[in-house]
Amino acid sequence: MNAKMNAKMNAKYLSPVLWLKLGAAGLFFGYLYVLVKIILFKFGDVNVSLLGRLLLENAEQPRNIAYRWQMANLTPLSSIRDNIALLPRGHDMINLFGNIALFMPLGLFLGLLVGCRLPAVLFYSLSVSLALESAQLILAMGSFDVDDLILNTLGGALGYGLFAGMGLARSRQPVAAGAKERGGAAGPV
């Protein structure tokens, strides 16, 4: 009986679906690492001791954060309009389309791995973007820009759109609808 049970457990742990889920989770965490590296470290080396030092310096000198807050763009669509007006320039293209492209994988992963629907993807994309923009402000590693929040959230929505467009979102809905009919939970948000 023990050998039979061990064989079942081994089959469960070696399941291709399990390996696929683990691989997808690994890709997701790799994506988050790259996202932080690009936004906070501007493609440089990830240096945790630098983060600690900057946090300590800015905690001792809060006026640095106040000054950076005064320099922040808090007017929605202001820098987006400027980027569109200057579009053939490389920096403006990277700022406009890069902010969208960086968050597209987040929307895709949230739909694929967690089963989120569009409202949740919008919420999580905005939350991650706000956390990174706030970190740039507090750590003095970039500038806070409300338009980055808009573009990043749009990127998350477009990533989810790719997920839904591939038919993956629809394939999950009958299960959720069936659970509703039986009186169960509708599934993940």
Side-chain angles (χ1 to χ4, degrees), residues 118-184:
L118 183 59
V121 169
L122 293 172
F123 173 77
Y124 290 125
S125 296
L126 178 62
S127 298
V128 169
S129 180
L130 181 60
L132 290 168
E133 288 294 311
S134 298
Q136 287 184 100
L137 176 72
I138 292 168
L139 298 169
M141 297 184 84
S143 59
F144 187 95
D145 190 340
V146 71
D147 288 340
D148 287 350
L149 299 176
I150 294 168
L151 294 170
N152 295 159
T153 304
L154 175 62
L158 290 174
Y160 179 80
L162 287 174
F163 164 76
M166 290 187 293
L168 297 170
R170 283 186 287 266
S171 68
R172 290 177 180 248
Q173 286 178 338
V175 173
K180 251 186 185 173
E181 290 170 7
R182 291 187 306 274

